[in-house]
Each structure stands twice: as C-alpha cells, then as structure tokens.
C-alpha cells in the first residue's frame, strides 16, 4: 500500500472490486453458454470447430470472410 501511495483500505476495496468483476464475467459467460446450448438443443443449428477456425484464420487478411451461416 505504501509503495502505491494508497491506504490498506483502498487496496482491499480494489481487490474486492476486481474479484466481483471476475465473478460477474464468469457468471455471464456461463449464462451465455447455457443459452447457446439450449438453442442448439432446440434447433440443432451449429458451426463446426473447423468452420469457425477457418473463418477466424481470415481475420485481418485481404481475404477476410464474414461469419459462416449455421446449419443443422
């Protein structure tokens, strides 16, 4: 705390805020994953891992492609 010219209380509050932010992000990720799983179970629509990797490999290139369409 002294090296950062902050009080111990400020350091504790900062650590708590960072923890809460991480946990909220983790929970949001889990909720999004569950919603995706439910949508997949209902529709069967998806992209394969290879389709996604091939698309991502084009990012930032002169031949950048748009996201492929989902299929069953």
């Amino acid at each position: 705390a002294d090296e950062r010219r902050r009080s111990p209380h400020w350091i504790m509050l900062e650590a708590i805020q960072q923890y809460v932010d991480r946990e909220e992000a983790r929970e949001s990720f889990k909720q999004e994953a569950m919603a995706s799983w439910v949508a997949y179970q209902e529709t069967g629509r998806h992209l394969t891992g290879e389709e996604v990797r091939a698309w991502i490999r084009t990012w930032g290139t002169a031949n950048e492609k748009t996201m492929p369409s989902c299929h069953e």
Side-chain angles (χ1 to χ4, degrees):
D2 290 338
E3 288 180 23
R4 293 182 173 252
R5 298 178 193 259
R6 303 287 186 188
S7 69
H9 183 256
W10 186 92
I11 298 289
M12 288 186 292
L13 289 176
E14 184 68 17
I16 291 167
Q17 185 61 53
Q18 289 177 10
Y19 171 78
V20 169
D21 291 346
R22 273 193 318 273
E23 290 303 308
E24 287 176 346
R26 182 175 293 145
E27 184 60 28
S28 177
F29 177 79
K30 283 177 26 183
Q31 293 299 321
E32 185 178 342
M34 288 304 297
S36 294
W37 176 243
V38 168
Y40 169 72
Q41 289 178 312
E42 291 173 354
T43 68
R45 296 182 55 73
H46 68 284
L47 292 172
T48 67
E50 182 50 40
E51 290 167 329
V52 172
R53 285 188 294 277
W55 169 52
I56 290 173
R57 282 192 294 270
T58 70
W59 290 5
T61 69
N63 194 26
E64 188 168 321
K65 300 204 182 314
T66 60
M67 186 176 97
S69 296
C70 292
H71 53 83
E72 292 187 24

